[in-house]
DNA sequence: GTTTTTGTTGATCGAATGATCAACAGCCCC
DNA sequence: GGGGCTGTTGATCATTCGATCAACAAAAAC
């Protein structure tokens, strides 16, 4: 392991020993931890993590009191600030057709969460029964899915009243693209835009029925 | 642990020591393994598994050569025979409206896979990068999703040609119900039937456009 | 250049893990 | 009811795990 550090000089193995500012070192460890735990889950060993971070295993405990603490830090890093504040405002902007609003929102949302790290850590955490996971989805529902539901009712002038489960179905169908790609490692279209737009079109299809008659 | 075995008589702890037929014992271990690994993943210890199965840890190795072998047996148990052969025939039966066929199929399909064990073991295996996982989904796509696509084209007399990604979107939206319930442990409707029917209705909505004109 | 500070390491501990083996004991057969 | 087959157990081994600590050395302060 780390064959590059064992090139010519075999005597002094600690060539690369560098002293970093605690903030920078902590950042390096965090980055390695996110990548490592995303790959193998939180059952991964602190030793291999340390090796990937280019430090000793003992050093991890100078920055994180325990493995659980490191795990929590990884969660916070992955979850925090993942929901952009302007998404709600965009979803509520009734000067724009709902179809366009939804396409924009899910374009940005999938751009934010369709990453190897986010998708997998979220799933590992879900299986582990972590509370942060549930809290994130509850928050997502209250903050974004319910507004989608309300905007659909508003745009159809009350003629179409989708259940929240219909919005979850739209959401799930889209998120499942990321699950197929990053969890199951199946091939999915590189550009998910058209697929998402088609899904949104179908989601809004009940609106066209009442709309055509009333106009 | 096993407090019931330590009731009055403390001297002889092996009261419950029973000799079972190898087939029966193997079955007991398998059942315990499916339940245990579904809960905690394959990182769970053989000792706790043995405890739940009511046997010693050493006995596991009389029935399975290694933990990996036991794991494979659990996979096979969970995957094998999960896709009912008559589903394809039902999906192909053009004497029944496609909407009805899809509702019946996904009613039976979700009844088959929306279990704690199947959902979670499938997800653990997916994150672990197991090949069986990918093979199952490839098989599912070829055997059932492509037929759904073809039947949609046929029923619309070629007027609507959904992409396979549209079928995946339908599928994902439905499966996501099980993910929310068994992976994220979120509340979902006890009767998912109406939700699924609504999703199928939206999936088929493009058909209504061309259909009304041509008739 | 010397001293001080502190980021970093190698060694190590106790607990838990997968796996093995001789010894035990329940069940079948005569 | 007494052997004998074999399902089952307790003890044990070698690793690996998370976590700790004194000792080292690179950067900062003077």
């Amino acid at each position: 392991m780390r064959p590059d550090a064992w090139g010519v000089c075999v005597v002094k193995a600690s060539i690369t020993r560098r002293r970093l500012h605690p903030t920078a070192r902590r950042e390096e460890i965090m980055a390695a931890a996110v990548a490592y735990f995303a790959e193998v889950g939180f059952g991964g060993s602190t030793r291999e993590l340390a090796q990937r971070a280019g430090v000793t295993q003992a050093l991890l405990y100078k920055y994180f009191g325990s493995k659980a603490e490191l795990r929590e830090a990884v969660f916070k890093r992955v979850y925090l600030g993942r929901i952009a504040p302007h998404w709600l405002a965009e979803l509520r902007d009734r000067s724009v057709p709902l179809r366009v609003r939804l396409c924009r929102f899910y374009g940005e949302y999938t751009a934010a969460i369709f990453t190897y790290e986010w998708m997998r850590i979220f799933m590992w955490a879900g299986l582990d029964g972590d509370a942060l996971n549930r809290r994130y989805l509850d928050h997502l529902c209250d903050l974004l899915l319910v507004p989608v539901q309300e905007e659909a009712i508003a745009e159809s002038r009350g003629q179409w009243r989708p259940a929240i489960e219909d919005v979850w179905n739209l959401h799930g169908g889209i998120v499942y693209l990321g699950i197929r790609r990053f969890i199951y490692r199946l091939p999915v279209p590189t550009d998910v835009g058209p697929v998402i737009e088609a899904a949104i079109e179908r989601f809004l299809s009940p609106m066209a029925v009442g709309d055509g008659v009333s106009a």
Side-chain angles (χ1 to χ4, degrees), chain A residues 7 9 14 21-22 38 68 76 89 93 111 119 127 146 149 159 163-164 171-172 175 200 208:
Chain A
C9 178
S14 60
H21 188 78
K76 289 233 172 66
D93 179 10
M119 271 286 153
L127 281 166
V146 167
Q149 179 188 30
Q159 299 239 356
I164 191 64
H171 187 80
V175 170
I200 291 171

Side-chain angles (χ1 to χ4, degrees), chain A residues 27-67:
Chain A
E27 181 54 37
E28 282 197 3
I29 294 176
M30 277 293 293
V34 168
Y36 177 61
F37 288 139
E39 184 177 332
V40 305
F42 297 101
S45 71
T46 55
R47 278 175 175 78
E48 191 174 340
L49 165 60
Q51 189 177 306
R52 292 206 192 188
V55 296
T56 354
Q57 183 235 7
L59 192 63
L60 298 181
Y61 291 85
K62 298 294 176 180
Y63 293 91
F64 304 93
S66 65
K67 191 184 180 184

Side-chain angles (χ1 to χ4, degrees), chain A residues 141 145 149 161-173 203:
Chain A
C141 182
L145 299 194
Q149 179 188 30
R161 309 185 76 86
I164 191 64
E165 279 300 325
D166 294 323
V167 186
W168 270 116
N169 182 262
L170 167 69
H171 187 80
F203 170 72

Side-chain angles (χ1 to χ4, degrees), chain A residues 107-169:
Chain A
E108 295 183 53
Y109 184 71
T110 54
I113 71 163
F114 278 7
T115 70
Y116 184 85
E117 286 78 17
W118 197 93
M119 271 286 153
R120 292 179 64 88
I121 285 183
F122 192 79
M123 199 58 77
W124 285 117
L127 281 166
D128 278 353
D130 200 277
L132 242 69
N133 200 292
R134 258 190 305 278
R135 258 186 286 158
Y136 172 89
L137 286 174
D138 285 343
H139 186 223
L140 178 85
C141 182
D142 294 342
L143 192 78
L144 297 170
L145 299 194
V146 167
V148 167
Q149 179 188 30
E150 292 172 351
E151 291 305 306
I153 296 173
E155 182 141 319
S156 73
R157 274 157 285 164
Q159 299 239 356
W160 175 48
R161 309 185 76 86
I164 191 64
E165 279 300 325
D166 294 323
V167 186
W168 270 116
N169 182 262

